[in-house]
Amino acid sequence: MKIVLIGAGSVATNLGIALKGAGSEITQVYSRTEKSAKELAERLSTPYTADINEIKTEKDLYVISIKDSAIFSFIKKFNVRNSLVVHTSGTLPISIIENVAGKYGVLYPVQTFTKDRILNFKDIPICIEGNNKEVNRKLKEIANSISDKVFEINSESRKVLHIAAVFACNFTNHMYAIAENLLQNQNIPFEILHSLINETANKSILSDPANMQTGPAKRNDVNVIVDHLKILENEPGVKEIYESLSKSIQEMYREENTE
Amino acid sequence: MKIVLIGAGSVATNLGIALKGAGSEITQVYSRTEKSAKELAERLSTPYTADINEIKTEKDLYVISIKDSAIFSFIKKFNVRNSLVVHTSGTLPISIIENVAGKYGVLYPVQTFTKDRILNFKDIPICIEGNNKEVNRKLKEIANSISDKVFEINSESRKVLHIAAVFACNFTNHMYAIAENLLQNQNIPFEILHSLINETANKSILSDPANMQTGPAKRNDVNVIVDHLKILENEPGVKEIYESLSKSIQEMYREENTE
């Protein structure tokens, strides 16, 4: 399978390396930023370009992995009638690329990527959506070549999945970052939370997280909550988040506490 | 070392099993709730009581692991002049047990425990605080018998550490629970987020989380944020949290985005 990568960010990098590892041929890398295109192309030992008009035509698959905000201007200038084109966005519907090719779809890996950390795709879920059954079948085959976890998910559900991923990844990481800041002010190394962070993640995977909730808000331990809020008096932003998340937890488990 | 466990909840269970495993002798378990006392005593093959007046005196160490709200009424009725007494609370200061014994302190394990999941303490940080140097030395010895990570931390810092743990564990788990709810409404299994949750935790451990932030709020991708908020219109509680956490992330990384 001959593949052209459109984009050279963290998703394109990880996906490109995984697809190549599974036996596909990455025939070209395109990026608006020549430096990024060159960097990824070198990792994949393949040619690159920063000029849309030099993107090779008639390849089997074009994978568009560029920022949601940049994709619109790209697709206005791009057309490959006879190939399969996919984007990798969690948020954008399949329809945004309908004018780019006859066969089109989505290949959304549910993971957080960075360029310098190349992940094994085996356990990374890949959500697919095609514009017809044949495309669906083809996308399933491609996704299965790198991952054991392939899900058919439509654009509407994928968007909700993306919001769920924002909570499970982006907002979770922000919780870690706030914790880190609080510890820094006391000269306590963040390392002190590593074991707790791991265990919290492990538990959510062993059982379902709604059953695993612990802490003062879950116990409705008002004394501790008030005490914590007093200590956060000098950090109004953090205090506000502590308050609203505690309230949200108390509401989620209200029935248990009024038993 | 002869130890009496005061309390039979998840902390007492995990700590008791670890201390026994390290060669200490658990000579008795006390809990207000006879059933809990019996349950833990059986796991430790030791006697139990639900009567404060039957707690054996003259043992080496008393570990008070009961709910913060229950500890006050307990210590009013408890006194062991010649032994070492510790509590295991992240929030309560060392001073609350000053009238209970001449030697007293705190032994706070930074972890989330459940009774039916017995953890290895080797990598669990234990924070110690004693009322004098001799007690500090003794507590370090006890903590080191089960853990490689022992920290001397005073009551004021421990309280902030506890707040940080609330963010890194309780609030993080709530993020998972919200994600789970969102997926349930779309009939998508929560399993689809397992790999992402693991990777997010792993990254925070490999580098520091403030450098690892990703997502629409970090990128200041207002289109995606507005789109997500529209989808959350029917879940006002979740929408409010999405909004306030996105705002907090945008503020934390404001400088990067205005570069």
Side-chain angles (χ1 to χ4, degrees):
Chain A
M1 172 151 246
K2 293 181 192 303
I3 301 173
V4 175
L5 295 179
I6 312 289
S10 53
V11 177
T13 299
N14 272 274
L15 206 48
I17 290 171
L19 288 166
K20 189 182 175 186
S24 289
E25 189 186 337
I26 312 297
T27 56
Q28 194 184 26
V29 174
Y30 160 84
S31 167
R32 271 197 305 190
T33 319
E34 186 160 347
K35 187 169 164 284
S36 307
K38 187 176 176 216
E39 206 178 275
L40 179 54
E42 276 171 3
R43 291 177 88 155
L44 296 166
S45 315
T46 199
Y48 67 91
T49 179
D51 181 348
I52 292 189
N53 301 312
E54 283 182 14
I55 296 175
K56 291 174 196 167
T57 52
E58 303 295 326
K59 299 305 172 193
D60 301 313
L61 175 67
Y62 292 78
V63 179
I64 306 178
S65 280
I66 53 186
K67 270 195 289 189
D68 288 2
S69 51
I71 208 167
F72 295 97
S73 66
F74 174 80
I75 54 175
K76 271 185 213 151
K77 301 172 214 150
F78 181 68
N79 193 289
V80 280
R81 271 285 135 228
N82 300 315
S83 301
L84 171 57
V85 178
V86 296
H87 74 65
T88 62
S89 162
T91 304
L92 298 174
I94 184 174
S95 57
I96 67 140
I97 52 172
E98 66 190 354
N99 293 321
V100 164
K103 293 178 290 179
Y104 57 93
V106 181
L107 208 140
Y108 168 57
V110 188
Q111 188 51 286
T112 173
F113 295 104
T114 35
K115 280 189 192 179
D116 54 4
R117 187 166 155 80
I118 302 306
L119 300 179
N120 183 341
F121 267 70
K122 203 174 163 308
D123 291 320
I124 298 176
I126 298 182
C127 302
I128 57 159
E129 182 181 11
N131 72 313
N132 63 43
K133 275 193 183 165
E134 190 211 325
V135 171
N136 260 341
R137 208 179 31 74
K138 188 73 199 157
L139 290 178
K140 201 174 274 178
E141 196 185 306
I142 296 165
N144 270 326
S145 77
I146 55 175
S147 167
D148 290 345
K149 297 187 173 164
V150 180
F151 294 79
E152 268 187 64
I153 286 184
N154 67 29
S155 292
E156 200 190 337
S157 288
R158 190 174 56 252
K159 203 175 271 202
V160 178
L161 168 57
H162 186 230
I163 299 176
V166 166
F167 277 88
C169 170
N170 307 147
F171 290 167
T172 287
N173 188 75
H174 191 50
M175 298 298 107
Y176 301 159
I178 291 172
E180 186 183 24
N181 277 349
L182 289 168
L183 293 180
Q184 255 159 10
N185 298 339
Q186 304 290 324
N187 293 313
I188 301 174
F190 182 64
E191 186 207 339
I192 207 166
L193 295 179
H194 285 179
S195 166
L196 179 64
I197 286 172
N198 258 333
E199 177 65 5
T200 306
N202 286 343
K203 274 181 162 178
S204 84
I205 285 164
L206 288 170
S207 174
D208 73 314
N211 285 333
M212 286 294 164
Q213 190 63 50
T214 55
K218 164 71 193 311
R219 291 193 305 273
N220 205 18
D221 193 336
V222 180
N223 289 333
V224 172
I225 294 173
V226 168
D227 194 30
H228 285 174
L229 290 174
K230 212 181 296 164
I231 291 168
L232 295 174
E233 208 58 78
N234 294 322
E235 314 213 33
V238 177
K239 188 186 167 200
E240 201 180 298
I241 290 171
Y242 186 104
E243 212 159 6
S244 78
L245 293 182
S246 293
K247 203 184 81 187
S248 172
I249 292 171
Q250 285 168 312
E251 273 164 18
M252 197 180 261
Y253 301 92
R254 187 181 297 280
E255 280 174 28
E256 282 177 43
N257 282 320
T258 52
E259 260 166 21
Chain B
M1 172 152 248
K2 293 183 192 302
I3 301 173
V4 175
L5 294 178
I6 313 289
S10 53
V11 178
T13 299
N14 272 273
L15 205 49
I17 290 171
L19 288 166
K20 189 182 175 184
S24 288
E25 190 186 337
I26 312 296
T27 55
Q28 194 183 27
V29 174
Y30 160 83
S31 166
R32 273 197 305 190
T33 320
E34 186 160 347
K35 189 169 161 282
S36 308
K38 188 179 174 209
E39 205 177 276
L40 178 55
E42 276 171 2
R43 290 177 88 154
L44 296 165
S45 315
T46 199
Y48 67 92
T49 180
D51 181 348
I52 292 188
N53 301 312
E54 283 183 12
I55 295 175
K56 292 174 194 165
T57 52
E58 304 294 327
K59 299 305 172 193
D60 301 314
L61 175 67
Y62 292 78
V63 180
I64 306 178
S65 281
I66 53 186
K67 271 195 288 187
D68 288 3
S69 51
I71 207 168
F72 295 97
S73 67
F74 174 80
I75 54 174
K76 270 184 215 153
K77 302 171 215 152
F78 182 69
N79 192 289
V80 278
R81 271 285 135 228
N82 300 314
S83 301
L84 172 56
V85 179
V86 297
H87 74 65
T88 61
S89 162
T91 304
L92 298 174
I94 184 174
S95 56
I96 67 140
I97 52 172
E98 66 190 354
N99 292 323
V100 164
K103 294 178 289 178
Y104 58 92
V106 180
L107 210 140
Y108 167 57
V110 188
Q111 188 50 286
T112 173
F113 295 104
T114 36
K115 280 189 193 180
D116 53 4
R117 187 166 155 80
I118 301 306
L119 300 179
N120 182 343
F121 267 69
K122 204 175 164 307
D123 290 320
I124 298 176
I126 298 183
C127 302
I128 57 158
E129 182 181 13
N131 72 313
N132 64 42
K133 276 195 182 163
E134 190 212 325
V135 171
N136 260 341
R137 207 179 31 74
K138 190 72 199 158
L139 290 179
K140 201 175 275 178
E141 195 185 307
I142 296 166
N144 270 326
S145 77
I146 54 174
S147 166
D148 290 345
K149 298 187 173 165
V150 180
F151 295 79
E152 267 187 63
I153 287 184
N154 67 29
S155 292
E156 200 189 336
S157 289
R158 190 174 56 252
K159 203 175 270 201
V160 178
L161 167 57
H162 187 229
I163 299 177
V166 167
F167 276 89
C169 170
N170 307 148
F171 290 168
T172 287
N173 189 74
H174 190 50
M175 298 297 108
Y176 301 158
I178 290 172
E180 185 183 25
N181 276 349
L182 289 168
L183 293 180
Q184 255 159 10
N185 298 339
Q186 304 290 324
N187 293 314
I188 301 175
F190 182 64
E191 185 207 337
I192 207 167
L193 295 179
H194 284 179
S195 166
L196 179 64
I197 285 171
N198 258 333
E199 176 65 6
T200 305
N202 286 342
K203 274 181 162 178
S204 84
I205 285 164
L206 289 171
S207 175
D208 72 315
N211 286 333
M212 286 293 164
Q213 190 63 50
T214 55
K218 165 70 194 309
R219 290 193 306 273
N220 206 17
D221 193 335
V222 180
N223 288 335
V224 171
I225 295 173
V226 168
D227 195 29
H228 284 174
L229 290 174
K230 212 180 296 164
I231 292 168
L232 295 174
E233 208 58 77
N234 294 323
E235 314 214 33
V238 176
K239 187 185 168 201
E240 201 181 298
I241 290 171
Y242 186 103
E243 212 159 6
S244 77
L245 292 182
S246 293
K247 203 185 81 187
S248 173
I249 292 172
Q250 285 169 312
E251 273 163 18
M252 197 179 262
Y253 302 93
R254 187 182 296 281
E255 282 174 26
E256 283 178 42
N257 283 320
T258 53
E259 260 168 19

